[in-house]
Amino acid sequence: MTHPAAHQADRTAVEAANTAYYEAMEQGDFDTVTDLWLDEDATPITCVHPGWPVLTGRGEVLRSYALIMANTDYIQFFLTDVEISLAGDVAVVTCTENILSGGPAEDGAALGPLVGELVVATNVFRRTPDGWRIWSHHASPVLPENDPDDAPDTDD
């Protein structure tokens, strides 16, 4: 049985690692994002960005972050519904990413148009001698709900 103080310390450390991941993304800090991912061992890392196929292995995953950072001038995450589950050396964090982002500016503007997006994410962490590291990230867009009043009239 895990001691309650140790369990709370693990929760705090996982929450800090999860927060560091999103802060590094906001700052475009590729080195920190790289450091937060688990080093390859017997189990490869995996990542699913919204609308992307599954990326497997450190090379593919980190290339995807380099590509996203190169094409995103501004991104901010407001995390809600954050839940942390711990089981030994594995932690699962689920959350809603309320994302505000902007691509490259056009026509001399300081920033490209800002777009809001709602995404649900699952981040799986593993304990390492260097702290908690991301093993898998899976993010999926939340589709807008259709209002039944907006449905086409089929009573013709």
Side-chain angles (χ1 to χ4, degrees):
M1 183 167 161
T2 306
H3 187 274
H7 184 77
Q8 185 55 46
D10 284 344
R11 286 182 63 79
T12 300
V14 169
E15 187 172 19
N18 195 65
T19 299
Y21 164 72
Y22 288 102
E23 287 177 351
M25 286 290 295
E26 288 179 348
Q27 295 163 7
D29 185 346
F30 183 73
D31 291 338
T32 298
V33 169
T34 298
D35 291 344
L36 287 167
W37 278 89
L38 193 64
D39 284 330
E40 295 284 24
D41 56 10
T43 308
I45 62 174
T46 60
C47 181
V48 177
H49 298 295
W52 292 40
V54 177
L55 304 174
T56 303
R58 199 165 165 80
E60 269 191 24
V61 169
L62 295 179
R63 269 192 300 279
S64 75
Y65 282 94
L67 183 62
I68 290 168
M69 289 179 181
N71 289 289
T72 305
D73 285 353
Y74 176 85
I75 191 162
Q76 189 169 10
F77 295 89
F78 301 95
L79 300 184
T80 56
D81 309 315
V82 178
E83 297 289 335
I84 300 171
S85 300
L86 286 160
D89 291 337
V90 176
V92 176
V93 179
T94 57
C95 61
T96 301
E97 301 173 354
N98 301 270
I99 305 170
L100 186 61
S101 64
E106 299 173 7
D107 300 328
L111 182 65
L114 293 178
V115 177
E117 187 176 11
L118 198 60
V119 172
V120 289
T122 301
N123 298 318
V124 181
F125 291 85
R126 268 189 20 204
R127 184 195 319 267
T128 74
D130 298 321
W132 292 90
R133 297 294 182 259
I134 304 168
W135 185 2
S136 182
H137 168 76
H138 187 130
S140 226
V142 176
L143 300 177
E145 291 184 30
N146 289 330
D147 187 338
D149 294 336
D150 292 341
D153 188 4
T154 57
D155 294 338
D156 295 316

